[in-house]
Amino acid sequence: ASLIARYTEPGTEVKREKHINRIKSAVGNLTNILNDFLSLSKLEEGIFENIPETFDLVELANLIIDELKTICKPNQTIIYEHSTARKAVILDKKFTHNILINLLSNAIKYSEKDIFLTTKITESQILIIVKDEGIGIPETEQEYLFTRFFRAKNATNIQGTGLGLNIVRKYLELMGGTITFESQLNQGTIFRIVFPLENRTHPQPLS
């Protein structure tokens, strides 16, 4: 901010923009850290409550993709496919939003290529898949992936708290969902989230 104050003359716009972007990045990183710690604290104190509601999963996914465009790298996009006609689900919308934000943000962060999001609603389950073609997770470290503060050795130079996936798993525990993954070093990672529809009321069609 102090440097920006020096660039007041015409012709210094590029330098000023450079420092503005650095500030935005720093503020964004601090915000993410604070949000992670606040979410973890609230989850552990039992403040968060799972409140299912009917909503359009495809609409939510598209809103999140639009929200994340600002952090995508140059020439990197999120490619989305919903493979069934049914779109309405009964889930906690805020939790679902936070889960998708976390997984997609990680995929953007750890990859230089496009990110793939797939959703599917069948008679037995709701399936969400997030796939990237990034740095992957070393096989020897995969068992610790959902551990609090875990950072893989190949990700130490990338901003992060090591709390995101731990928080995602806690959200899913509250929602009755599960998460699994497959990863290969320098090939990418696939996360699969499943919400079973057994003993759930089928959502009413959205207007």
Side-chain angles (χ1 to χ4, degrees):
S2 299
L3 287 168
I4 288 173
R6 300 180 185 180
Y7 298 124
T8 57
E9 300 297 323
T12 60
E13 292 84 358
V14 174
K15 291 181 179 179
R16 188 164 60 244
E17 184 68 22
K18 177 183 176 181
H19 292 299
I20 288 171
N21 288 333
R22 284 182 177 177
I23 291 172
K24 288 180 179 178
S25 177
V27 171
N29 289 330
L30 286 170
T31 301
N32 290 336
I33 290 169
L34 287 170
N35 285 337
D36 281 351
F37 276 99
L38 286 170
S39 295
L40 184 63
S41 176
K42 289 179 180 179
L43 283 164
E44 292 185 341
E45 291 175 20
I47 295 174
F48 282 151
E49 182 181 355
N50 180 34
I51 305 175
E53 61 178 291
T54 302
F55 65 91
D56 187 319
L57 181 60
V58 176
E59 182 180 276
L60 177 66
N62 282 318
L63 285 172
I64 290 170
I65 290 168
D66 191 58
E67 182 180 340
L68 292 176
K69 283 180 181 177
T70 56
I71 68 168
C72 283
K73 296 167 185 172
N75 302 316
Q76 185 184 54
T77 58
I78 300 173
I79 299 170
Y80 176 46
E81 178 185 6
H82 182 73
S83 58
T84 50
R86 185 173 168 184
K87 299 179 181 179
V89 296
I90 298 179
L91 294 170
D92 186 299
K93 189 174 182 179
K94 183 177 179 180
F95 289 176
T96 306
H97 174 276
N98 291 346
I99 288 167
L100 282 171
I101 285 284
N102 189 289
L103 293 179
L104 289 169
S105 296
N106 276 354
I108 292 167
K109 190 188 304 183
Y110 297 119
S111 176
E112 301 295 325
K113 299 180 181 179
D114 289 340
I115 311 303
F116 301 89
L117 171 64
T118 303
T119 54
K120 184 178 182 180
I121 306 168
T122 70
E123 290 302 315
S124 61
Q125 65 182 17
I126 301 163
L127 177 65
I128 299 172
I129 299 172
V130 176
K131 177 185 177 184
D132 70 64
E133 297 175 345
I135 63 175
I137 305 155
E139 186 175 354
T140 55
E141 300 181 53
Q142 291 183 10
E143 62 180 299
Y144 308 110
L145 188 60
F146 297 100
T147 304
R148 190 186 305 183
F149 300 119
F150 169 75
R151 303 293 310 284
K153 290 180 181 178
N154 62 336
T156 53
N157 294 326
I158 301 173
Q159 287 280 355
T161 62
L163 288 173
L165 290 175
N166 181 262
I167 291 170
V168 164
R169 188 172 66 175
K170 290 182 183 295
Y171 280 137
L172 289 167
E173 287 172 356
L174 286 174
M175 298 170 74
T178 58
I179 184 168
T180 58
F181 72 94
E182 299 172 19
S183 187
Q184 292 185 14
L185 199 60
N186 301 317
Q187 297 295 318
T189 304
I190 303 173
F191 285 97
R192 290 184 177 85
I193 290 174
V194 175
F195 296 102
L197 288 179
E198 292 85 351
N199 301 319
R200 290 176 181 264
T201 304
H202 286 294
Q204 297 300 313
L206 295 173
S207 57

